[in-house]
Amino acid sequence: NTYAPLERLKMLYEEALSHPQVVGVVIGTRPDCIDDGVAELIASYRDKVDVWVELGLQTASDITAEVINRGYKTEVYKHTAEILTLHGIPFVTHMIIGLHNEGEKEIDATVDVINECGSWGVKIHSIYVMEGTRLADMYRRGEYTPPTLDEYVTLAARAISKLRPDITVHRITGDCPDGLLVAPEWNSDKNGIINAV
């Protein structure tokens, strides 16, 4: 990730890149943890190896972002996308389908932001209710109902169809750690989800 002083990041990245079999580096981080200095450091490795950054957007709705405690506004994601683009660093954006009170309109808005901000790729995650989370509490109180498999497939296909054609789709479902899935049951069948989409 990028949550450390530049000197520490440089040490960690260079330690990883010193291994003779390393041909690339993927840095997964939060948009609010990248500035020009971090971007310059990451860009400095582009001549040696393949480099890209993965950013969690999840949703373009700041209302939903507050519910899921994302911790930053969508404008922060947009600003970080500009920084990465200025430094020539490709980035992949993560989005979630099935968030509380989100349907076609919110999915379309999230895809619009991904398209407009120049994302090179996207990872689409299916929402799942995991034991020990706020979402599990909401689910048990009847405040959240996850989408059915058909609803998820329809929304995922819609999102994919609206992405810029040059965007690489890296993922179309998410994985809950073994033994922690509360709902929906269909989320445990990764191949079934992929085939359905």
Side-chain angles (χ1 to χ4, degrees):
N1 63 40
T2 57
Y3 187 64
L6 271 177
E7 303 75 31
R8 173 106 174 113
L9 293 176
K10 188 172 194 297
M11 184 193 78
L12 292 170
Y13 298 161
E14 291 182 2
E15 179 182 350
L17 292 169
S18 69
H19 192 284
Q21 291 183 313
V22 170
V23 296
V25 62
V26 178
I27 300 166
T29 192
R30 292 168 52 107
D32 56 346
C33 293
I34 290 189
D35 58 23
D36 281 308
V38 170
E40 284 172 23
L41 176 63
I42 295 168
S44 73
Y45 302 117
R46 287 180 314 153
D47 292 338
K48 301 176 185 108
V49 294
D50 287 332
V51 175
W52 78 77
V53 169
E54 299 206 3
L55 298 175
L57 173 62
Q58 319 317 352
T59 176
S61 166
D62 285 337
I63 294 168
T64 304
E66 211 168 292
V67 171
I68 65 172
N69 199 27
R70 185 178 69 187
Y72 52 86
K73 302 277 188 193
T74 299
E75 285 305 315
V76 174
Y77 164 86
K78 292 178 179 180
H79 178 67
T80 301
E82 287 176 15
I83 291 172
L84 293 172
T85 300
L86 282 171
H87 288 87
I89 302 167
F91 61 97
V92 173
T93 303
H94 291 243
M95 69 178 287
I96 298 176
I97 292 178
L99 291 167
H100 185 57
N101 289 333
E102 289 211 344
E104 289 183 357
K105 179 181 158 195
E106 292 78 14
I107 298 299
D108 289 354
T110 298
V111 170
D112 286 347
V113 168
I114 291 168
N115 285 337
E116 291 161 11
C117 288
S119 194
W120 164 67
V122 67
K123 290 190 175 180
I124 301 172
H125 299 262
S126 51
I127 190 76
Y128 50 79
V129 181
M130 189 169 84
E131 197 63 68
T133 64
R134 184 189 306 177
L135 192 59
D137 294 339
M138 290 173 66
Y139 174 76
R140 288 190 173 107
R141 289 192 304 263
E143 297 168 4
Y144 171 75
T145 303
T148 65
L149 176 59
D150 286 344
E151 289 168 338
Y152 176 76
V153 167
T154 299
L155 288 171
R158 179 184 180 93
I160 292 166
S161 74
K162 291 180 174 292
L163 287 167
R164 289 189 339 263
D166 62 308
I167 291 180
T168 301
V169 178
H170 293 244
R171 173 181 291 168
I172 57 174
T173 185
D175 297 310
C176 185
D178 285 343
L180 296 179
L181 181 66
V182 175
E185 222 172 272
W186 58 260
N187 198 76
S188 60
D189 181 13
K190 187 173 186 174
N191 288 334
I193 298 165
I194 292 168
N195 290 336
V197 174

